[in-house]
Amino acid sequence: MSTSLRFGTDGWRAVIGREFTYDNLSRLARATVKWLKQSGVEKPRIVIGHDTRFSGHLFAQHAAHELSCEGADVILAVGPTPTPAISWAASLEGTHAGIVITASHNPPEYSGFKIKTHVGGPATSAMTDMVESLIEPYRHRSTGAGDVTEVDIKSNYIQHLKSLVDLGPLNFTVVHDPMYGAGQGIMSELLGSDVVTEIHGELNPGFGGHPPEPIERHLGELMQRVVDEKALIGIAHDGDADRIGVVDECGNFVTSHMVMALLVAHLHGHQNLHGAIVRTFATSAILEKMGKAWGLPVETYPIGFKYVAPRFIETSVLVGGEESGGIAVAGHIPERDGLYVALVMLKMMMERKKPLTELVQELFDEFGPHAYFRSDVHTEKQPDIIAHLQQTGGLTEIDGRTVKSMDTLDGYKHLMNDAWLLVRPSGTEPVLRIYAEAPTRPEAESLVYDTQMQFGLTP
């Protein structure tokens, strides 16, 4: 019996050698071509790339062959290539879709299969549902009906980014951590090696022993190097460079919530641009306050950028993103792009002539302090905990705070007077995620730890 393949929050991901096999990759590739043909594309043209994970180039070559055997013409990216570069290439005239062999920020033993559409954004749930319905048991076939052409997409994309954001010469130092991923070398090429200090810029499929996710607990070396180098900013990117992590000049991690807020303040307050703030369920309440104060609509969707991306096409969006560092900005592809967001952040610092600490403090002065904390718990109790929350309607008190109401758009979000706490299962890993926001970091941590204790989990 063939393995059932299902797309999660962002593509299909599985452990290499277990579910992620050449046979399953063949099934997905062929189903993708069938989906395009059933959608009215007579001769699909698909661009495919890969990140720096184990055997990524071999998996990409295999998938390219299978796509061509199913009748598609294939553009195969040369070397590890960021996901946003593939998304951009998929949006070019004459291209119908993109595929990236990546598991993004997942642990090193994972790989994955992301589908991008002809507009440069992630495939919607309806699209991946159709691909799933077309997956067949693996059968060896080799028709050779399509062509495979290799192209240096990464270099082309770097030139495109340079045309979008004109920074001129930087007068401060940037430390860049590509986390051994597909973004390595790119910030140096964009800004100049004289102003960029890069760490973890070599190939290492083990990613240094932890997932290539640009969150605080993985960026200790970056935070220290920013201080040592007397840099004004540290920038990290995940394994496929569609997410961003930011460190201020004092070596403190700046949450993606505040990165989104800074982008909104810059684009609206200082460039006079208008549009909606589109966010996912686990993002900061400061965005709601900013939207209300400045007359910008704020839209909230389930977690997963595939819910955010369509709004860039359907309406005018200023900034769209999620708490995990996946952010898109007006004037670019409807896709998370950690590289483009980094350039916009640098442009903001140059124009405002202020360090990140001052820019963040200005937002806190106007909208109040907001601190965030998240815990990812690997536990076999995950299904039981979610079932308990469903049956009981959630917790009634957390760390001495009374829960006023519950929002179940995506998980169980406990709303309190000046704080919130969200419990939900991960859509890409067997993990229970617990998120919290409160006026201070210790308060946010206490909310999470008290919740874990109530569930019988070790804090």
Side-chain angles (χ1 to χ4, degrees):
M1 181 178 292
S2 297
T3 303
S4 177
L5 305 180
R6 294 287 181 265
F7 286 82
T9 304
D10 186 20
W12 173 72
R13 303 181 195 182
V15 174
I16 298 170
R18 188 183 299 168
E19 294 87 9
F20 196 93
T21 63
Y22 284 108
D23 286 359
N24 283 337
L25 191 55
S26 297
R27 297 167 64 204
L28 282 167
R30 291 180 180 272
T32 301
V33 178
K34 293 173 184 175
W35 156 63
L36 288 171
K37 288 182 175 180
Q38 287 198 10
S39 300
V41 180
E42 183 175 347
K43 182 70 171 177
R45 183 173 172 83
I46 302 172
V47 57
I48 182 168
H50 64 88
D51 64 8
T52 58
R53 289 173 182 270
F54 176 74
S55 291
H57 66 293
L58 296 177
F59 288 132
Q61 289 174 345
H62 178 79
H65 171 74
E66 294 296 306
L67 293 168
S68 68
C69 287
E70 196 64 39
D73 287 334
V74 183
I75 302 169
L76 176 62
V78 176
T81 304
T83 285
I86 299 298
S87 296
W88 167 75
S91 72
L92 299 179
E93 184 176 357
T95 307
H96 304 104
I99 293 171
V100 193
I101 304 301
T102 178
S104 188
H105 64 285
N106 276 49
E109 62 269 25
Y110 282 78
S111 193
F113 187 96
K114 291 184 180 181
I115 301 176
K116 305 300 175 180
T117 71
H118 70 284
V119 298
T124 65
S125 295
M127 293 173 180
T128 55
D129 286 348
M130 184 175 291
V131 172
E132 287 179 6
S133 72
L134 296 169
I135 295 173
E136 298 178 350
Y138 176 71
R139 298 192 303 274
H140 178 72
R141 290 175 295 174
S142 181
T143 60
D147 297 324
V148 178
T149 306
E150 294 191 8
V151 176
D152 187 356
I153 292 172
K154 182 173 78 171
S155 294
N156 294 340
Y157 190 60
I158 289 171
Q159 294 306 311
H160 175 67
L161 290 177
K162 287 180 178 179
S163 72
L164 287 180
V165 183
D166 181 14
L167 289 174
L170 286 185
N171 58 2
F172 54 83
T173 300
V174 177
V175 181
H176 179 222
D177 184 0
M179 305 190 80
Y180 303 106
Q184 56 189 260
I186 294 181
M187 294 303 296
S188 296
E189 189 165 347
L190 286 167
L191 306 175
S193 58
D194 55 329
V195 298
V196 175
T197 298
E198 183 178 86
I199 62 175
H200 306 142
E202 63 273 12
L203 288 176
N204 182 346
F207 299 111
H210 58 70
E213 183 177 15
I215 56 179
E216 184 175 5
R217 66 174 178 268
H218 297 158
L219 299 179
E221 187 175 345
L222 175 62
M223 292 187 276
Q224 185 60 51
R225 288 295 293 272
V226 168
V227 175
D228 293 344
E229 300 285 341
K230 296 181 172 58
L232 276 191
I233 187 173
I235 295 169
H237 291 115
D238 69 334
D240 62 337
D242 62 355
R243 302 186 186 200
I244 187 172
V246 176
V247 173
D248 68 23
E249 75 280 6
C250 297
N252 298 315
F253 182 71
V254 181
T255 68
S256 59
H257 309 269
M258 293 315 303
V259 171
M260 288 182 65
L262 289 167
L263 291 169
V264 171
H266 172 62
L267 296 174
H268 177 70
H270 298 276
Q271 293 193 354
N272 200 32
L273 299 178
H274 295 263
I277 303 170
V278 182
R279 63 183 196 134
T280 53
F281 197 45
T283 51
S284 175
I286 198 172
L287 297 171
E288 296 174 85
K289 296 178 182 178
M290 294 173 72
K292 184 175 181 180
W294 296 345
L296 301 174
V298 178
E299 302 178 5
T300 304
Y301 293 95
I303 292 171
F305 197 80
K306 63 184 178 181
Y307 300 107
V308 175
R311 298 301 291 152
F312 278 88
I313 302 164
E314 297 160 355
T315 188
S316 175
V317 177
L318 194 62
V319 175
E322 51 189 355
E323 63 84 28
S324 58
I327 301 170
V329 179
H332 190 39
I333 53 177
E335 173 71 291
R336 294 173 297 197
D337 190 339
L339 299 163
Y340 180 68
V341 169
L343 296 181
V344 176
M345 292 286 290
L346 294 172
K347 186 76 169 178
M348 172 191 71
M349 293 172 64
M350 292 181 67
E351 291 183 356
R352 298 292 305 282
K353 298 180 180 179
K354 294 180 180 180
L356 287 174
T357 51
E358 290 187 27
L359 295 172
V360 170
Q361 189 58 50
E362 287 180 356
L363 292 177
F364 287 168
D365 290 342
E366 185 169 357
F367 300 105
H370 292 71
Y372 170 82
F373 184 67
R374 185 183 104 185
S375 177
D376 296 344
V377 185
H378 291 260
T379 174
E380 296 179 358
K381 296 180 180 180
Q382 184 209 77
D384 295 334
I385 290 171
I386 297 300
H388 174 74
L389 290 171
Q390 184 177 15
Q391 293 166 6
T392 63
L395 305 175
T396 58
E397 183 178 278
I398 307 174
D399 196 38
R401 283 180 163 87
T402 301
V403 176
K404 300 293 185 180
S405 61
M406 179 73 71
D407 191 339
T408 57
L409 175 65
D410 187 353
Y412 296 85
K413 192 171 189 178
H414 303 71
L415 304 174
M416 295 155 273
N417 282 337
D418 58 353
W420 57 262
L421 180 134
L422 170 64
V423 181
R424 65 179 289 275
S426 167
T428 60
E429 301 175 76
V431 170
L432 183 72
R433 300 201 193 281
I434 306 175
Y435 319 71
E437 183 174 60
T440 67
R441 172 65 177 264
E443 290 175 287
E445 290 183 11
S446 291
L447 287 169
V448 170
Y449 294 146
D450 183 68
T451 299
Q452 289 183 206
M453 291 181 66
Q454 292 193 54
F455 290 153
L457 305 173
T458 302

